[in-house]
Amino acid sequence: MTYLVHRVAVIGSGTMGAGIAQAAATAGWSTVITDARLEALPAALTGIERTLEGSVSRGKLSTGERDAIRGRISSASSIADACRNADLVIEAVVEDLAVKQAVLTEASTVVPHSALLATNTSSLSVAALSTGLPHPSRFLGLHFFNPVHLMKLVEIVVHEKTDDAAREDALSVVRALRKEPIVVRDSPGFASSRLGVVLGLEAIRMVEQGVASAHDIDRAMELGYNHPMGPLRLTDLVGLDVRLRIAEYLHRTLGDDQYEPPQLMR
Ligand code: NAI
């Protein structure tokens, strides 16, 4: 059965939060974004407007659709105001377990029990993030990719307490967003980051060792393996700070030296 979403709250209005909010509004849902830094909110809205404008100029969106999408997005100055009455809450704050736990716990005190609560974490344990939530069965990972409006994949990350109904609801949410879901068991880095980060780190180590230039290492993957973008350019797009945190976490949890961040990255 299709999970009916009317109102979405997105917590964190950075690169991912803004992209997710735009995708939710494009799916026709009333969407509220919030951020601990209130000054980030107008910047996020301006960024969304710029992306929508780009779609209009490429003929992908009519001006009427642009206005309707923009009209469905608003901002709130607190998590409580954003999440009250939401059917779907997506957390997209900094990749830090304690910060995410605090944000999710705060959201869980105001959302209706039936709401689906999700994290956009790239690597952290979804089970650990569920600690302290009153309804962990309605909590899971919805891992979007950057830039959200272009990337088709959403990883649905289920932990031991996620129930079947929540998993089905997540599948219907992802399809309504016109994205392609994969379902992954909660484990460090899930499917995408665990594989993708290895390539990025190894590419940086290769630059460090003078194997080839950054440009040529990227070309090796683009032309030799048909990757649309080389691992170094992709690491820049994700953000070196974001990738560093993921690498440190994977190194700690998987205990594998291939995840140790190279000095050049630091
Ligand atoms: P970002 O740094 O652009 O945005 C994070 C936002 O969270 C900032 O605006 C910050 O002010 C806000 N924030 C921090 N603490 C907060 C709090 N306590 N309450 C409310 N807002 C708070 O980061 P980005 O890149 O958007 O990443 C967000 C999440 O998405 C991270 O978990 C990251 O691992 C994940 N992710 C990032 C991808 C990327 O390519 N950058 C791809 C997929 C997932």
Side-chain angles (χ1 to χ4, degrees), residues 212-231:
S213 68
H215 176 259
D216 283 354
I217 291 169
D218 272 356
R219 300 263 289 174
M221 290 296 105
E222 288 161 4
L223 302 179
Y225 281 67
N226 243 1
H227 290 193
M229 187 185 294

Side-chain angles (χ1 to χ4, degrees), residues 40 62 79 83 85 92 101 132 266:
S62 71
I79 290 178
C83 295
N85 305 320
Q101 275 173 333
R266 292 189 183 282

Side-chain angles (χ1 to χ4, degrees), residues 27-28 48 66 105 107 113-114 127 167 183 215 219 221 236-237 255:
I48 291 170
R66 173 200 64 196
T105 303
H113 296 172
S114 56
R167 174 192 152 121
V183 179
H215 176 259
R219 300 263 289 174
M221 290 296 105
D236 279 340
L237 180 77

Side-chain angles (χ1 to χ4, degrees), residues 26-62:
T26 303
W29 301 329
S30 168
T31 305
V32 187
I33 54 171
T34 188
D35 201 288
R37 287 182 308 119
L38 292 184
E39 68 276 16
L41 293 169
L45 293 171
T46 306
I48 291 170
E49 284 162 8
R50 211 176 303 121
T51 310
L52 291 174
E53 209 47 62
S55 300
V56 171
S57 57
R58 283 194 309 280
K60 305 251 179 217
L61 212 60
S62 71

